[in-house]
Amino acid sequence: MDYLREKVVVISGASAGIGAACVKTLLTAGMIVVGLARRHEYILNMKKELSPELSKHLFAIRCDVTQERQVSKAFDWTNDKLGGCDILINNAGIIATAQLSQKNNTQQIRDTIETNIMGAVFCIREAFHSMRLLKNGNGHIVIVNSVAGHQVPNLGPDLPSLNIYPATKFALKAMNEIYRQEFQRNKTQVRVTTVSPGVVDTDILPIEIQNIVKPVMPMLEAADVADAILWALSRPANVQIHNIIIKPMGEKF
């Protein structure tokens, strides 16, 4: 994996959960990491806990991925200061739990679509143009998806609805293939990979789901997903890892 050393990787949703695990894993692999998050102070706190050798390669940018201009500015900074983006980990995402069919849930639905779909569109678009223009058409985009993007889980009557969340993840599954075709059409060597974990023990799960799920359901750790992402990034340039599905042992759906 020596060729990954000093590659510039941008990670959205880098303040916690899978994003934070990716920050630590990819830094340890020798990469230069730009963490994007609304709570960028969490990344700064993480930076303080790292060794000097690793911390000097971590940069934090306050960025709400639903805001197109903020995303553009974050990548402009990366292009100007670090010479462009080699890798994007598109990780930012949220879950709404109001029933999709109930009234007065419009804002939750909009927020989820704006974060999970439009945030991905903005980040991937900027990353691709950075790779195309500044990295000789080479690069790798990883989309953090979910098993809910392949089959809508039936959580039963004791857990809240997942609202529009699975639909946004199905959209990411389709986008993965659209991007693969477009990157080829543009005659680049930019690869795109989706990583779809089962239940992961992170704060993306609303507290009402955590309280019920944690005592009875096997869960992945965020580091498990980060390790899979590093594996996908480390494959030879001629290998296109299209999708990885990871489930904890014993998962019921």
Side-chain angles (χ1 to χ4, degrees), residues 146-154 162 166 170 173 247 253:
S146 167
V147 294
H150 299 264
Q151 179 179 344
V152 179
N154 184 350
L162 291 178
F170 267 81
K173 178 184 177 183
K247 293 189 176 188
F253 53 84

Side-chain angles (χ1 to χ4, degrees), residues 82-96:
L82 301 175
C85 170
D86 295 289
I87 297 164
L88 168 68
I89 311 299
N90 185 82
N91 166 72
I94 60 173
I95 296 176

Side-chain angles (χ1 to χ4, degrees), residues 2-228:
D2 284 348
Y3 82 95
L4 291 175
R5 296 190 67 81
E6 299 189 357
K7 295 291 187 183
V8 177
V9 53
V10 177
I11 303 175
S12 68
S15 61
I18 293 171
C22 286
V23 168
K24 296 173 183 177
T25 296
L26 301 187
L27 280 172
T28 303
M31 299 184 214
I32 299 166
V33 174
V34 180
L36 310 184
R38 289 176 296 179
R39 304 176 299 178
H40 87 303
E41 64 275 9
Y42 284 37
I43 306 173
L44 294 175
N45 290 337
M46 193 189 322
K47 185 180 176 78
K48 295 175 184 176
E49 298 171 357
L50 297 170
S51 69
E53 182 61 29
L54 293 182
S55 65
K56 70 181 182 182
H57 293 307
L58 175 59
F59 303 90
I61 297 179
R62 186 188 300 277
C63 180
D64 180 346
V65 297
T66 69
Q67 302 302 306
E68 185 175 4
R69 183 60 190 143
Q70 291 186 31
V71 174
S72 296
K73 288 178 66 177
F75 279 90
D76 286 346
W77 184 92
T78 303
N79 294 338
D80 293 341
K81 301 298 184 182
L82 301 175
C85 170
D86 295 289
I87 297 164
L88 168 68
I89 311 299
N90 185 82
N91 166 72
I94 60 173
I95 296 176
T97 57
Q99 289 189 37
L100 194 57
S101 55
Q102 77 178 48
K103 289 189 175 184
N104 302 317
N105 65 355
T106 303
Q107 193 57 54
Q108 287 193 43
I109 293 171
R110 288 187 185 278
D111 289 346
T112 306
I113 291 172
E114 290 293 325
T115 302
N116 296 4
I117 299 178
M118 294 310 301
V121 169
F122 298 149
C123 289
I124 294 170
R125 183 172 65 199
E126 294 296 328
F128 175 65
H129 284 283
S130 179
M131 295 167 186
R132 188 181 182 191
L133 297 175
L134 301 176
K135 298 295 182 177
N136 300 314
N138 294 294
H140 201 149
I141 290 168
V142 176
I143 301 170
V144 178
N145 199 318
S146 167
V147 294
H150 299 264
Q151 179 179 344
V152 179
N154 184 350
L155 301 181
D158 296 327
L159 289 173
S161 167
L162 291 178
N163 194 276
I164 202 75
Y165 176 80
T168 66
K169 294 300 184 176
F170 267 81
L172 291 180
K173 178 184 177 183
M175 289 160 62
N176 184 59
E177 175 60 17
I178 293 168
Y179 286 126
R180 188 186 70 83
Q181 294 178 19
E182 288 190 357
F183 298 166
Q184 289 183 4
R185 185 177 298 131
N186 282 280
K187 297 180 171 57
T188 73
Q189 295 298 310
V190 177
R191 295 183 287 174
V192 57
T193 299
T194 291
V195 177
S196 302
V199 180
V200 184
D201 187 5
T202 72
D203 289 341
I204 192 176
L205 293 174
I207 193 66
E208 61 267 34
I209 294 181
Q210 290 187 42
N211 290 339
I212 298 173
V213 164
K214 282 189 174 184
V216 297
M217 188 178 292
M219 306 173 79
L220 294 166
E221 298 295 331
D224 299 326
V225 184
D227 287 344

Side-chain angles (χ1 to χ4, degrees), residues 222-240:
D224 299 326
V225 184
D227 287 344
I229 290 172
L230 179 59
W231 176 83
L233 295 175
S234 68
R235 296 309 88 199
N238 66 310
V239 176
Q240 167 79 45

